[in-house]
Amino acid sequence: MTLPESYFDRVYDAARDPWSFETRWYERRKYALTIASLPKPRYLRCFEAGCSIGVLTSMLAPRCVSLLAADITASSVVATRQRLEGRPGVTVEQLTLPADWPDGSFDLIVLSEIGYYLAKEDLDELVTRATESLEAGGTLIAVHWRHGVADYPLRGEDVHEVIEASPYLERLARHDEEDFLLEVFARDRAVSVARATGLLT
């Protein structure tokens, strides 16, 4: 079953930064690779699903005119709001995904370390909602830990297989390591950065 809000409440009650996002080199490097993999310099409307305490959110904000970050726990939402306080265009909401998927369309959707918390049917719905709200030519970036965790319903590989199976997404890039998988997809048709910026015709 999908991990409930109470699971994450217990995790964050035990530690403010339970996965050491702020201090662990592994996380800092992964976030840097995530940001560097974005094919466009600027996005108009971004949705980050599962923002935790907002470390990646703070790195996404300068690349987005409007950024909606969401998490399932109230404490994470408070922490992210505090971290991003005063940053223009940033909104942080408490949402339970996929049921509370936000309205409107986005040209960037970030699924970083969230998919394996969901049961297969909820992951299917999450990917469907993401592709339906992603604008033509928009970017979906997915990053997930590849090693198994006993509590999690799925593995990172399972998550990416579901995303890759979407008929509406075309993969633009893939970064493959033993520890995590990072993939960048475009809605409908993937265009290389060189082609999109006129280096190739």
Side-chain angles (χ1 to χ4, degrees), residues 12 15-24 52-53 55 83:
Y12 285 102
R16 177 188 169 278
D17 183 11
W19 289 281
S20 301
F21 293 142
E22 294 177 317
T23 58
R24 187 173 282 151
S52 185
I53 60 172
V55 178
R83 185 183 301 274

Side-chain angles (χ1 to χ4, degrees), residues 6-184:
S6 58
Y7 174 90
F8 296 99
D9 286 338
R10 289 193 298 272
V11 169
Y12 285 102
D13 284 346
R16 177 188 169 278
D17 183 11
W19 289 281
S20 301
F21 293 142
E22 294 177 317
T23 58
R24 187 173 282 151
W25 165 242
Y26 170 85
E27 299 294 348
R28 295 203 305 272
R29 174 179 176 269
K30 183 189 68 179
Y31 287 155
L33 286 166
T34 301
I35 297 298
S37 297
L38 295 175
K40 299 177 183 179
R42 192 85 165 143
Y43 290 88
L44 292 178
R45 190 163 188 248
C46 168
F47 176 49
E48 181 193 8
C51 63
S52 185
I53 60 172
V55 178
L56 179 58
T57 316
S58 66
M59 300 172 72
L60 287 167
R63 300 282 294 270
C64 305
V65 175
S66 173
L67 170 59
L68 171 61
D71 203 86
I72 193 172
T73 66
S75 61
S76 295
V77 169
V78 169
T80 302
R81 285 175 178 166
Q82 290 173 343
R83 185 183 301 274
L84 277 295
E85 186 176 7
R87 298 290 288 270
V90 178
T91 304
V92 187
E93 296 183 4
Q94 184 176 3
L95 302 176
T96 300
L97 301 173
D100 296 335
W101 192 268
D103 294 332
S105 61
F106 303 92
D107 58 347
L108 174 61
I109 294 175
V110 179
L111 304 178
S112 179
E113 311 290 4
I114 183 177
Y116 42 55
Y117 298 134
L118 305 176
K120 175 61 165 56
E121 58 271 22
D122 284 337
L123 177 62
D124 288 340
E125 183 180 352
L126 180 92
V127 173
T128 296
R129 287 175 177 258
T131 54
E132 287 177 348
S133 63
L134 188 63
E135 296 176 357
T139 302
L140 185 149
I141 188 164
V143 190
H144 290 87
W145 175 253
R146 302 183 81 171
H147 305 291
V149 179
D151 290 346
Y152 299 174
L154 298 172
R155 297 169 61 96
E157 301 282 354
D158 303 322
V159 175
H160 284 251
E161 286 177 4
V162 172
I163 298 171
E164 290 164 2
S166 170
Y168 304 105
L169 298 174
E170 186 172 310
R171 187 169 61 205
L172 176 64
R174 176 182 170 106
H175 181 86
D176 190 326
E177 296 192 12
E178 177 184 358
D179 300 321
F180 71 91
L181 182 59
L182 184 158
E183 292 186 288
V184 182

